[in-house]
Amino acid sequence: MQLSEKNALKSVAFGLVILLSAFYLPCILGQKCIFFSDASFWLEPQSRFIGEAYRAGKIPLWNIWSYCGMPQIAVGFPNLYYIPDLLLILLPFSCGLSLAMIFHQTIAAVGMFLLLRRFTLPTISALTGASIYALSGYMFCLPTNHSLVAGAAWIPVCLWSLMRIDTSNRSKFWRFLFATLAIIFLITSARPEATTPGLALIGGYICYSAYEQRKQTGKLFSEVIVWQLRAIFVGFVMTMPALLPMFEWLSVSRRVSGLLTAESLLYSANWYDLLSAVIGPCLGDMRLFSNHYRVLLDSADLPAYVSCAYIGMVPCILSLWGLSDRSWKWRFPLLALFAVSIVACLGKNTPVVPQVLQFFPTLGFVRFPVKLLFFPIFCISVCAAYGMRTLLEAKVPLKATFITLALITLSALSITHGFPLIHFPNETLLPNTVAKAYGLIGAATLFALLPAVLLAAIAVARIKMPAHSRLLSCGALVVLLVCLCSYAFRYERLWAESDFYQQKSVIGSLIQSACGSAPAPELRRTLGLCLERITVPPALLGNDVKSATIATYQYHRQLCKPAANMDAMVPDIFGFEGPMNGDYYHCILHAYFSSSQAVRPEITTVSDWPLARLCALMADNFVVTQRYRRIGRNIDVPLMDKNLFALKVDDEKMNVRLYNVVEHMPRTYITHSWRWADSHNQVLDAIMDPAAPGWVPWSFAYIERAGNDDPQEPPRNTGSAQVESASIVKNNPEEVVVTAHANAPGMLILADQNYQGWNAEIDGGKAVTYHANGFTRAVYIAAGTHTVKFIYRPGSLYLGLVLAGLGLMLVIYLGAISYHRKHDSAVDNADK
């Protein structure tokens, strides 16, 4: 008996929840934890920070632990406004993240099922497309970047909900409301890498829908189109509290203007990504640092974000069957969309995307093209659903199927056979490595062929036994599910032990030992100079590739790289990219690469002065480096300039050094010696000047003008700045209160990031906040004792809340109009 759509939908959701719960069960129960990549470096520290703020009854607008402060409301990963992210914020991290993954993969399946049913496909065809989309390797391999999965999951729901809006007065408003909520979830769930292509697809659908409506009614904006546009508009307006702070950050971040084309295209899909999508990760898990076959791939294109977007040969064959269906008018547009998405995923490996970025460099903010692999999978899922329909209707092109199987096999073996040799002809150990790789690729290809051949046999049986069409189609669906699930359970459970995030930080302990106690946060700011790949001491790596990978990530956390300093309660003036000022980022990188710690033979002029300046300007007390670094071989890292940095700890076992900044400055102080900067670039040039006489920060400050009423510049003083009492009496993330006593008028400087939204008050009255020393805050104070208050009041957030309120009022208005029209229609019908 055929399932109704409603019962089939319940079965899909229930079955998928059970399956995914079994997959993530060790993490849900707290026996294992998700640690790889951004989960360890960014997501867990951020979730812990936000969760602690929520439990304390606060909304974390500002974060004090990284970059001398950063706007937490500009962080979209995890998102303060996305309700499902509360799972990983308020629950134990790995448990919450696993539940979030179950939720999003289920949403992906339900959304794709409903969308395909909207195309009037049979239930089993819709189940086929939903299974491929929700259970692909892309969905399983990205808990570390779960916002990408979330964005991909909501795209089918958005399309389906917009398509459901019709001219019926009874349901039009409620369908509009559901579509609005879907748009809100799509925008707030994901980063631009998933949201942007999803919204582009929705925009394409609206344009097509308007074209079709105009052909039928002669109107460009029919009532249906108007309601669809309303849903999109209201969805955007309601997400303004999240979007406006992000746009505000983008205006000063390195993402818009500071990314090179090569950096934007760093992780582009390569031949192995496409191959493993069809036959699986035949050369093993490339995320494991000791995998011998990593040498066959460009180190810049290792599968770090999307370890394997596996779908297998069965969806490929089903897709070809779907494209052979001549009654399906959308097959060629969808094939074109697939081709465009593949080119986009390949990034730098084709000439197309680099040329596009040359003309539109702003698109570089959507970094790492390999993240877009969900889009080809979306296309394949739709095509495969139509392919299952051809199987039901016994229209399968059998000859083309077997020819395709042979071509896929020959292509997989021949293309990969020559590629590594082209790039690594002189490696002495390569022939043995390549020979083993060929064997693994060949075996994986033959193994992947088995279910594809079984699918072809089912197609033959369907033609020979028409009475068993539904049974045979269910058999094809079972073959597909077995292939997808066996891959996931075999390859995608790279988890660490449950205590991974509870281990104490080495750097935190070293700083505490150096200070003799646990210092206050403002007295222990740190600059971690482990900016490139960290060299892990061999004794920590263990005996197998998995334990070596886990130990490597744990060691990164031990050295507080890059955002684990938040867990260790160590304020860092650098860290992960995050919402970072682009100029600030480039200044630190320039200072690092011109210093003794970069170990770059091509650098002829080495100076630690730029680093010393930055440390002084940002009230940094400690610098963390390594003793040696492996660059082909172990290379000793030179000691830093002893006149600028005093070595406090030299730990050979942990391969770490801890320095104290000799001329470190307090977090807040008063100076009577400053110079007005002609431009922001003048200050940046002074910071990065390797010559010591260029600028000694403790002698005077650079202040950028704020208007015509700026105080007069004092006489220049080449000696030490006169510093009077200034102390922080309140140190909340969004409010810092300083009590200062000045003997004469001067500038009170607070060495925290100056950012839009920070305002100052002196003795209860408003004051002008100046840009000091390139990145910090300053206010002009008169002689005497004053209370200076710095308050974070982000105008972007408040404007976003106002716009969201207007959007809510618009929803209420539309609901009222819809109700009255419905009521009037009922009255008219009663009168008749």
Side-chain angles (χ1 to χ4, degrees), residues 78 84 92 173 225 253 378 386 399 526 540 742 820:
F173 172 75
I225 296 297
S253 77
F378 176 90
Y386 279 91
K399 290 184 179 179
T526 306
L540 301 179
H820 286 300

Side-chain angles (χ1 to χ4, degrees), residues 204-269:
Y205 160 71
I206 293 295
C207 292
Y208 166 76
S209 182
Y211 171 74
E212 288 291 318
Q213 290 289 330
R214 185 175 183 180
K215 282 183 15 180
Q216 295 176 8
T217 65
K219 298 179 181 180
L220 179 61
F221 294 104
S222 66
E223 188 178 8
V224 171
I225 296 297
V226 169
W227 277 96
Q228 290 173 338
L229 292 175
R230 284 172 179 169
I232 296 172
F233 174 76
V234 174
F236 265 100
V237 171
M238 294 289 285
T239 57
M240 283 299 152
L243 290 180
L244 289 184
M246 292 183 187
F247 291 152
E248 183 180 71
W249 161 65
L250 282 172
S251 67
V252 298
S253 77
R254 56 187 294 262
R255 285 260 180 142
V256 171
S257 59
L259 285 178
L260 301 174
T261 299
E263 191 176 2
S264 298
L265 303 179
L266 180 60
Y267 290 104
S268 297

Side-chain angles (χ1 to χ4, degrees), residues 154-344:
W154 285 109
I155 291 173
V157 179
C158 289
L159 286 169
W160 170 76
S161 60
L162 288 170
M163 290 177 181
R164 288 181 72 241
I165 297 176
D166 55 26
T167 56
S168 169
N169 285 327
R170 293 186 176 184
S171 59
K172 183 165 42 186
F173 172 75
W174 296 109
R175 293 182 178 185
F176 150 80
L177 187 59
F178 188 89
T180 300
L181 291 174
I183 295 292
I184 290 172
F185 278 121
L186 172 63
I187 295 174
T188 58
S189 67
R191 291 173 292 174
E193 295 91 332
T195 303
T196 303
L199 292 174
L201 183 61
I202 290 170
Y205 160 71
I206 293 295
C207 292
Y208 166 76
S209 182
Y211 171 74
E212 288 291 318
Q213 290 289 330
R214 185 175 183 180
K215 282 183 15 180
Q216 295 176 8
T217 65
K219 298 179 181 180
L220 179 61
F221 294 104
S222 66
E223 188 178 8
V224 171
I225 296 297
V226 169
W227 277 96
Q228 290 173 338
L229 292 175
R230 284 172 179 169
I232 296 172
F233 174 76
V234 174
F236 265 100
V237 171
M238 294 289 285
T239 57
M240 283 299 152
L243 290 180
L244 289 184
M246 292 183 187
F247 291 152
E248 183 180 71
W249 161 65
L250 282 172
S251 67
V252 298
S253 77
R254 56 187 294 262
R255 285 260 180 142
V256 171
S257 59
L259 285 178
L260 301 174
T261 299
E263 191 176 2
S264 298
L265 303 179
L266 180 60
Y267 290 104
S268 297
N270 55 31
W271 64 273
Y272 186 74
D273 290 305
L274 301 183
L275 178 68
S276 59
V278 178
I279 67 174
C282 48
L283 300 182
D285 194 338
M286 288 291 178
R287 295 173 297 180
L288 300 177
F289 293 134
S290 299
N291 187 322
H292 299 298
Y293 300 105
R294 287 163 65 98
V295 68
L296 300 180
L297 298 178
D298 183 351
S299 60
D301 278 340
L302 288 174
Y305 279 89
V306 181
S307 58
C308 182
Y310 175 79
I311 53 171
M313 282 196 183
V314 171
C316 295
I317 298 302
L318 286 170
S319 298
L320 291 171
W321 291 353
L323 292 172
S324 69
D325 183 1
R326 296 183 179 182
S327 65
W328 179 29
K329 67 176 182 178
W330 281 101
R331 55 181 179 148
F332 290 119
L334 195 67
L335 183 60
L337 185 62
F338 172 79
V340 170
S341 62
I342 284 289
V343 171

